[in-house]
Amino acid sequence: MQKMQSSIVALSGSGLSAESGLPTFRDAAGLWKQHSWQELASPEGWRRNPELVLEFYNERRAKAWTAQPNEAHRAIAALEQKFAVTVITQNVDALHERAGSKIVLHVHGELAWARGTGPSRRRCRIEGAPIHMGQHCEEGTQLRPDIVWFGEETQYMEEAREIVALADKVLVVGTSLTVYPAAGLVEFARDDSERVVNSLELDAVPPGFRFLRGKATDIVPKLVADWMSGAAAAP
Ligand code: OAD
């Protein structure tokens, strides 16, 4: 009888893409240290100054479009050779997919998509292109980035909780675990799962997780090599 493939979930945040040249949010040079999220990432900000919001995301989209996946993205994708892997990411870039990961849930939306501002919320793919004022979706409303702003509903959460609760191994990488409900996903990990968190700094390591401090491109490929070779977890 064939043994069921064991499962891994990777929960990623902006620190994973930092070494691809994309900024984080709360580190010293982070986006929310230089810009106001109230102005740029909230429905109120959008109502007040949509031009400014579009400009901010147009710049981020263009930058994300030319960025390349790094060794950590690629190592996570390589896990699929041996494990059933789901990536649950807070990141809005497409670097996991471009590294080869097949199942990626973007709980905070995606830069490569736009959507109308009317009731249908129908999405359209824009890849790396800018969104302009006056550009409408099929239902005739102004297009906006398909990004989850503060005060809006995080996507795929029910599915994400179920996937975390079933995983044999959980890798958290490059997130400060400060933005809920996404940060709360770690609480759904099974007590008997192997749980690892990699980041440069972390205010509080979630209970049951082993903290691996360092750059994702140093830590994740080594961890993946251990998991691929079946090496036991270090205490
Ligand atoms: P943060 O900026 O809050 O946290 C980034 C984390 O990555 C920190 O813990 C850093 O120590 C770590 N880090 C930085 N460089 C790293 C590297 N090279 N290798 C490993 N770790 C590194 O970013 P997020 O947790 O992703 O939401 O932020 C969560 C959400 O807040 C974002 O999705 C965004 C933001 O508001 C929305 O826009 C809706």
Coordinates of all heavy atoms in Angstrom, one line a residue, residues 2 5 12 16 47 50 75 97-98 100 135 140 148 178 185-186 193 196 205 212:
Q2 N 0.5 2.3 -0.8 CA 1.3 3.5 -0.8 C 1.1 4.4 0.4 O 0.0 4.5 0.9 CB 0.9 4.3 -2.1 CG 2.1 4.9 -2.8 CD 1.6 5.8 -3.9 OE1 0.4 5.8 -4.3 NE2 2.5 6.5 -4.5
Q5 N 1.4 11.0 1.3 CA 2.5 12.0 1.3 C 2.2 12.9 2.5 O 1.1 13.2 2.8 CB 2.3 12.9 0.1 CG 3.5 13.1 -0.7 CD 3.2 14.0 -1.9 OE1 2.1 14.5 -2.1 NE2 4.3 14.3 -2.6
S12 N 3.9 32.6 4.7 CA 5.0 33.6 4.5 C 4.5 35.0 4.6 O 3.3 35.4 4.4 CB 5.6 33.3 3.1 OG 4.6 33.5 2.1
L16 N 10.2 37.3 3.4 CA 10.6 36.3 2.5 C 11.0 37.0 1.1 O 11.9 36.5 0.5 CB 9.5 35.3 2.2 CG 9.8 34.2 1.2 CD1 11.0 33.3 1.7 CD2 8.6 33.4 0.9
R47 N -11.2 56.5 -0.6 CA -12.2 57.5 -0.9 C -11.6 59.0 -0.9 O -12.0 59.8 -1.7 CB -13.3 57.4 0.2 CG -14.4 56.4 -0.1 CD -15.6 56.5 0.7 NE -15.3 56.2 2.1 CZ -15.4 55.0 2.6 NH1 -15.6 53.9 1.8 NH2 -15.1 54.8 3.9
P50 N -7.9 58.6 -4.3 CA -7.7 57.4 -5.1 C -6.4 57.5 -6.0 O -5.7 56.5 -6.2 CB -9.0 57.2 -5.9 CG -9.7 58.5 -5.8 CD -9.3 59.2 -4.6
A75 N 13.4 27.1 -2.7 CA 13.5 26.0 -1.8 C 12.1 25.5 -1.3 O 11.8 24.3 -1.3 CB 14.3 26.3 -0.5
E97 N 4.7 31.7 -6.9 CA 4.3 31.1 -8.1 C 5.4 31.0 -9.2 O 5.6 30.0 -9.8 CB 3.1 31.8 -8.8 CG 1.8 31.7 -8.0 CD 1.6 32.8 -7.0 OE1 2.6 33.4 -6.5 OE2 0.4 33.1 -6.6
R98 N 6.1 32.1 -9.2 CA 7.2 32.2 -10.2 C 8.4 31.3 -9.9 O 9.2 30.9 -10.7 CB 7.6 33.6 -10.5 CG 6.6 34.4 -11.3 CD 6.7 35.8 -11.3 NE 8.0 36.3 -11.7 CZ 8.5 37.5 -11.4 NH1 7.7 38.4 -10.8 NH2 9.7 37.8 -11.8
G100 N 7.7 28.4 -8.7 CA 7.2 27.0 -9.0 C 6.2 26.5 -8.0 O 5.7 25.3 -8.2
Q135 N -10.2 54.1 -15.5 CA -10.1 52.8 -16.1 C -11.2 51.9 -15.4 O -11.2 51.8 -14.2 CB -8.7 52.2 -15.8 CG -8.4 51.1 -16.7 CD -6.9 50.6 -16.4 OE1 -6.2 51.4 -15.8 NE2 -6.6 49.4 -16.9
G140 N -18.5 48.6 -15.2 CA -18.4 50.1 -15.4 C -18.0 50.9 -14.2 O -18.1 52.1 -14.2
V148 N -6.2 43.5 -0.1 CA -7.0 43.6 1.1 C -6.5 44.7 2.0 O -5.4 44.7 2.4 CB -7.0 42.3 2.0 CG1 -7.7 42.4 3.3 CG2 -7.5 41.1 1.1
T178 N 2.0 40.1 13.2 CA 1.3 41.2 13.9 C -0.1 41.5 13.3 O -0.9 42.2 13.9 CB 2.1 42.5 14.0 OG1 2.5 42.8 12.6 CG2 3.3 42.4 14.9
L185 N -3.2 32.2 12.3 CA -3.2 30.9 11.7 C -2.3 29.9 12.4 O -2.5 28.7 12.5 CB -2.8 31.0 10.2 CG -3.9 31.5 9.3 CD1 -3.3 31.8 7.9 CD2 -5.1 30.6 9.2
V186 N -1.2 30.5 13.0 CA -0.2 29.6 13.7 C -0.9 28.8 14.8 O -0.5 27.7 15.2 CB 1.0 30.4 14.3 CG1 1.8 30.9 13.1 CG2 0.6 31.5 15.2
S193 N 2.6 18.5 15.2 CA 3.3 18.9 14.0 C 4.7 19.5 14.3 O 4.9 19.9 15.4 CB 2.4 19.9 13.2 OG 2.3 21.1 13.9
V196 N 8.2 25.5 12.8 CA 9.4 26.3 12.7 C 9.0 27.7 12.3 O 8.2 27.9 11.4 CB 10.3 25.7 11.6 CG1 11.6 26.5 11.5 CG2 10.6 24.2 11.9
V205 N 7.8 34.4 19.9 CA 7.7 33.2 19.2 C 6.5 32.4 19.6 O 6.2 32.2 20.8 CB 9.0 32.4 19.5 CG1 8.9 31.0 18.7 CG2 10.3 33.1 19.1
L212 N 14.2 30.0 14.2 CA 15.4 30.0 13.5 C 15.7 31.5 13.0 O 15.0 31.9 12.1 CB 15.4 29.1 12.3 CG 15.1 27.6 12.6 CD1 15.0 26.8 11.3 CD2 16.1 27.0 13.5

